[in-house]
Every structure is written in structure tokens, then in C-alpha cells.
Amino acid sequence: MADLGLYSYQEEVVKRAVQGENIIIWLPTGGGKTRAAVYVAKRHLETTPHAKVVVLVNKVHLVDQHYTKEFDPHLGCKYKLVPVSGECDEKDFFGNVVRDSDLVICTAQILENALINTEQNKHVELSDITLLIIDECHHTHKEAVYNKIMRRYVEKKLRGERPLPQILGLTASPGTGGARTLDKAVEHVLEICANLDSAIVSSKTYAPELKEKVPRPIKKFDIVDSRSEDPFGDRLKWMMQQIHEFMDLPADFRLRQIGTQEYEADVVVLEQRGVTDSNRLLAQCALHLRRYNDALLINDTVRMMDAYCSLEDFYSTKNSTAIDGTDFFLLGVFQENQVELMRLARDSRFENPKMEQLQSTLLRQFGPCVNSRGILFCKTRKSTHYLNDWVVNNRALQKAGIKAAILTGAGNGISYMTQNEQVDTIRNFREGTLNLLISTSVAEEGLDIPECNLVVRYGLVTNEIAQQQASGRARARDSVYSVVAQAGGREVRRELTNEYLEELTGKAINQVQGISLQDFRIKITDLQTQAVICSRLAENLKIKKKSRYSAANIQLVCRNCFKPVASGSDIKLIDNAHYVNINPEFEKYYKAGGLVVLDRSFEDWEPGRVISCSNGNCNKDWGFEMKYKKVALLPNLAIKNFALETPEGRTTVKKWKDVKFTVDEFNFSDYCTDKFPDLFD
């Protein structure tokens, strides 16, 4: 195994996989799981007739990373390797790519789409693959894409269908699945093994070498006392109380403590209650209360001015979109207090003490003549922007030579990064142009980020898997893992709980590994049988739910002004992804704005303009136009921006998959016949 430079502990964990067994490799972040997978793939390609390897990842940026950093350098000279993601054209003829290649690296969704698609050049069967490598395989549970793929595998296995690919899973931690006892944690690990039809292996003989090569960072709790005075936060709470009194909270509804995640959850439900009860006053008050609560959370996390600006941004367009007395009251509450809020936000005596502690934590590791690298983890994309602005404008941090940049998940929207921006940021960090990443959880898992000597967790409450992965980013010798938190806060309690759960995960895995091979197989088959039965029952319930109402009996109502604007029968489904309104009369209910710009192109469609409600000053965002096959200009609607009027009353859903009526497939031929009848006479 010398040609790939495997350590002894890596050789130990790949042995059973090289012999053809289905295996989950459990190694810590930085332990070289991907390099071990490259070795297994190499041996498989060398020894298996007509070998076909597919490597699945759960994030787009990992496709190119695994290809460029690991698989291509070691296998590219001898085998045909192809990286495929939603960003490239190969996805449109994925079946051909798999047939013509030795190894394909792709996102799980692309393989899932290919398994469903019936077109020959796009379709793939599991039997076409001889080795399936699943990165970050602890995500193989519930309705995750990994599990949808593996559920097909398991069903075929239980029916005795062959051939099936060998499975190789990679994980830094399967976690406990929320379990707090050893028995339940063992059940969770067995469930992951059953979902992947694999045994789990870890280093035993060479565990000391693993510990030496992947050292644990020094953990520090940088704790600060809460503010002795918070007049800015108190003012926000007083304003929220004015809204509480105005909205006349229903007698059967209780709101929990202001300024907490629990309160946010409550006002989300309250807004839904307002919509379903046709009570616009209640719905709008709840929406505004959520913004104030968000400002309180920002005030507790970063600077007072950041919290103020979040509210100012929200209210900047409200004057032109007010449609009734409720809107004018809510706008007035902010405007009447705006000057005082700004004055308080600028008073440095009451600034967030966590910021001073964060500065001290960073300055312990960074300095003008110190070659340091660090990652600062925070909860939201908004927080990354606020913290980056703070770093850039902080003289002490700039004097210490900190060169920071944001790293968040890829997507569309002002707070997201494009995939290219992600790649550029990580490259600059690797090359030393940047030395501090301010990141959401995207940097916890999978990314090829160089050794850091500082990882800071700031205002984060996560599970044990995320904590272990974040900690694993601090790989340099004598590196520091710091938790910056408020005394008595949830962050510290959760960190300590996660330490226990990490230990519990290890014990659970050891117990699973101690089960005899025969008993293990019996347990796995029982769990797989139960999972298939439960999946079928759930699918039947979903189908029943989908056909609860006739589409013609459903009306779509603008979620802001409550105006009925469309029938459920107007909605059609394109490519199993886009829900469009094909009724030409719908055009009179919306107005079009600026062009939507996306970071990628698509085979059959391109984005048009954003669309919003045209009812007076409503202007509620509804979605955007899409041009399908260069002919059909169709409104592509986000169901979260509407309410549904059903025979049993009004309701709301977050996603189209949750609507209780069947949406028919869009028929392009029928559309063209109706739209251009003269061409088809």
C-alpha cells in the first residue's frame, strides 16, 4: 500500500473492504478517510472485471475537491474518471457517462435522479455499479437522498436480486441519533449499518498511531458574564410589548420568553394561525415580532448596531408596501423609536461583552509575526457577514495581521455564495492570502481545508457530530478549540453534553463491533425488513394525503393580502421540480420585476423576472418566471408565499410536497396546442 502512502491505521481499516465486504470506515476528521477510499477503489478497479465505481458526496463543492485532490492524482493516469455535479453538462446524459467511465464522482441527487429517469442516456441501474462509495455516510437515514438510494439497494437485496454494488461508507462519526443511553445509541449505530448494509470498522491495533497523526486540540471555554445593562435590548422588548397589546393574542395561545429560539418558533406558528384564521392583523404582527426577536438574538451574538441594521433593512420598504391600518401601526412603532434605537446602538458602554472576549481569543493566536490559521464558526449566514465586518473594521485584529473572509453554503440569494466563490475562498485560505475563515457549518464537514491552529465556536448549539467535525479542523500541533459563550448559556451545556455523546458513540460502536457475525447479520436483516415495511406504509400515507382534495377544489391565496389568485388545477409540475401556473389569466394577478440571475445554466429552462402580487401595495414575492424550452414563459411559484383555501378551511405549507392535492405533470405538447392553436390546425 506504499504507493498511496497509507499509514498503518488506514491499512487496518481498509482490509475488509479490499476483500469485497460492505464496510463503513470510521476515522476522525483529518484521519484520511478519502485516501483510504482511493486505495479501495484502486484495488477494486484492478481486480474486478468490468469494474464501475461511483463516489457519492452530499455537497456540490466536494465533487471537484475529491476529484482534484485525491482520486485523479492517484487513478487518473490509468483510468477514466469523470466528476459530475449540477454545475456541469454531464448530468444531462449521466447514464452514458457511467457506462463510458471507470469512476464517476457525483452528488447523491444526480444518482438518485438517474435511478428514476427512464431515458436511456440518463438512466442508471444499481446493477451497473460494482463499488459505491458514500462520503459522510452518517447522513444515510430518514428521507435523506443517501437513504433513498440505499433503500432501493436494500429492497433488491431482500428480494434476492443480484448483482448489487459493494458499499464503502466514510464517516467521522455516526453520532447517537439523539440517544442518551448506550442501548439506544447501539440501536442507532445498528440502524446506520442496516441502512448501508455494512459493518463498521475502526482502528484498534494502530489506534496509538492514529492518535499521534491526528492530535486532539486543546479545548478552552472562554466564558463571559452577561451584560449588566442592556438598554438597547430593553427598548426592543418594550416595542414588542406594544405589538403584543395591539394584536390581542388568542386566549388559547401562549408565547414563551422573548429573545429565545422558543419564542421564534411560537411566532412562526402564530403567523400560520393568523393566515389560516383570515386574521391579517395577527399574521402581520407575528411576522414583525419575529424580526424583533431576531434583532434580540443578533444583539446577543454580535454588535448592537448589527441588530439595529437588521431592523432598518426590514422596515426600509414597508412604507411603500403598507396596505391597511395594521401595516401603518407596525411601521409607526419602529419609526417612533428609530432615533432612540440608533442612539442606544452607538453607546459603546453597553456593547456585547462576547465581542471583547472573541477579540481576546483571536489575539491569543494571531499576531504580526505569528503564522496562524483559524476558523470561526457561527450559526447563521447573517452572523458571518456581521462578524466579517467587525474583523475588517477592528484595528487590533487588523494590526495582528488577520485577513478574514466569509465561507457559507452555496445557493442563490444575496447571503449565499456561489460555488466558484467557495472554491476561491478556500484556495486563498490554503495559500495563505487569508488566515481566518468566518463560516457556517459548511466548513465543518468534508471540505479540504488545511491544518488550523485555532477553531472558535461562537454562539453555537449543535449536535455531537458537528462538534467533532469542527474540532477536527484544528489539526496543527498544540492547536486550540475555543468555545466563546455566555456564563450559564446553552452553548456551554451543549458542549459538555456533546463530549458525553461523543464518548457514548465510541462505546456504542465498540459494542456493535463485538457482536458475532451471525448475530450481526440477523439484526441487520431484521432492521432492513422493518425499514422497508415502514417506508412502504409511509409512501401509501403520502399518496393518500396527496389525493385528499381535488386540485379544482383548491384556491391559492396570497399569503400577505389574502387575495385569491389561482386554482390548484392551474398548477403543473415540470421535471419533478418546478411548480408552474399555466393559466394565462394568472398574469393579471402579478407584476414582474428584475431579472433573476443564477450561477449555472439548465438543460430545458432559463430564469426570467421575479414576480410579486399586484394587489395594490401588497408586493408579496411569489417566485419568478421561467422560460421553458425557449417557448413557454411560466410563473414558477414558491408555495410558502401562498395560503391554500381547501374545502375544510385555509392552511399553509412550506413545500409543494406537503400539499394535499395531486399536481399533474406539465404536458408541453398540450400547452403549445392551447397557446398556439393556429400552428396545429
Side-chain angles (χ1 to χ4, degrees), residues 135-192:
D135 190 35
E136 309 294 354
C137 69
H138 51 272
H139 293 296
T140 312
H141 64 105
K142 298 181 180 176
E143 292 306 304
V145 184
Y146 280 165
N147 210 29
K148 290 180 180 179
I149 293 168
M150 284 306 302
R151 198 174 290 145
R152 286 190 180 82
Y153 177 105
V154 167
E155 288 181 1
K156 287 176 179 290
K157 174 207 167 184
L158 294 177
R159 289 196 299 264
E161 294 182 24
R162 300 294 187 273
L164 287 170
Q166 178 188 349
I167 304 297
L168 176 64
L170 310 173
T171 185
S173 174
T176 65
R180 300 296 176 97
T181 64
L182 182 57
D183 287 350
K184 292 293 183 182
V186 167
E187 285 180 21
H188 171 72
V189 174
L190 282 169
E191 186 179 310
I192 294 292

Side-chain angles (χ1 to χ4, degrees), residues 64-341:
D64 184 64
Q65 176 183 296
H66 283 358
Y67 173 79
T68 305
K69 293 288 178 183
E70 292 288 350
F71 285 91
D72 190 53
H74 297 289
L75 303 178
C77 60
K78 192 173 179 182
Y79 301 100
K80 184 176 180 182
L81 279 58
V82 181
V84 183
S85 72
E87 308 283 320
C88 63
D89 294 335
E90 283 85 354
K91 72 179 186 303
D92 297 328
F93 41 91
F94 186 70
N96 292 345
V97 171
V98 171
R99 282 184 282 276
D100 296 339
S101 308
D102 298 307
L103 185 147
V104 174
I105 305 172
C106 66
T107 51
Q109 189 62 55
I110 285 178
L111 178 59
E112 169 69 3
N113 293 345
L115 291 168
I116 296 169
N117 203 305
T118 55
E119 293 181 41
Q120 186 175 356
N121 65 337
K122 295 183 179 181
H123 181 67
V124 170
E125 287 284 347
L126 282 172
S127 56
D128 297 333
I129 304 165
T130 57
L131 172 62
L132 185 62
I133 299 174
I134 302 178
D135 190 35
E136 309 294 354
C137 69
H138 51 272
H139 293 296
T140 312
H141 64 105
K142 298 181 180 176
E143 292 306 304
V145 184
Y146 280 165
N147 210 29
K148 290 180 180 179
I149 293 168
M150 284 306 302
R151 198 174 290 145
R152 286 190 180 82
Y153 177 105
V154 167
E155 288 181 1
K156 287 176 179 290
K157 174 207 167 184
L158 294 177
R159 289 196 299 264
E161 294 182 24
R162 300 294 187 273
L164 287 170
Q166 178 188 349
I167 304 297
L168 176 64
L170 310 173
T171 185
S173 174
T176 65
R180 300 296 176 97
T181 64
L182 182 57
D183 287 350
K184 292 293 183 182
V186 167
E187 285 180 21
H188 171 72
V189 174
L190 282 169
E191 186 179 310
I192 294 292
C193 290
N195 292 345
L196 288 155
D197 195 44
S198 301
I200 186 165
V201 299
S202 56
S203 180
K204 305 288 188 185
T205 305
Y206 295 100
E209 181 195 46
L210 173 59
K211 192 174 181 180
E212 169 68 21
K213 298 295 181 186
V214 189
R216 296 295 296 264
I218 301 160
K219 189 167 190 173
K220 291 187 176 182
F221 287 94
D222 291 325
I223 306 301
V224 296
D225 293 328
S226 58
R227 287 180 172 101
S228 56
E229 292 181 81
D230 183 16
F232 178 82
D234 291 342
R235 190 74 176 196
L236 291 178
K237 291 174 184 176
W238 179 81
M239 294 164 70
M240 293 171 77
Q241 192 57 44
Q242 307 306 303
I243 299 174
H244 283 174
E245 293 171 6
F246 175 77
M247 72 179 176
D248 191 19
L249 190 70
D252 62 342
F253 202 95
R254 292 288 177 269
L255 291 168
R256 284 170 284 183
Q257 185 181 347
I258 285 174
T260 63
Q261 298 288 350
E262 290 77 16
Y263 180 89
E264 180 175 330
D266 290 342
V267 291
V268 167
V269 174
L270 190 63
E271 187 272 341
Q272 294 168 350
R273 170 83 170 263
V275 172
T276 56
D277 291 352
S278 299
N279 185 340
R280 188 172 185 277
L281 185 151
L282 190 65
Q284 289 303 305
C285 286
L287 281 174
H288 286 246
L289 285 169
R290 184 177 181 183
R291 292 291 185 161
Y292 280 104
N293 195 67
D294 190 36
L296 283 172
L297 293 171
I298 293 169
N299 179 50
D300 187 52
T301 306
V302 281
R303 299 167 297 188
M304 293 183 290
M305 189 53 73
D306 297 322
Y308 170 79
C309 288
S310 73
L311 281 174
E312 187 178 55
D313 288 345
F314 175 68
Y315 281 101
S316 62
T317 60
K318 293 302 174 186
N319 209 20
S320 60
T321 59
I323 58 177
D324 63 16
T326 298
D327 296 324
F328 288 113
F329 168 80
L330 293 167
L331 182 61
V333 170
F334 178 72
Q335 289 177 337
E336 289 164 14
N337 291 276
Q338 187 172 6
V339 173
E340 180 63 8
L341 280 176

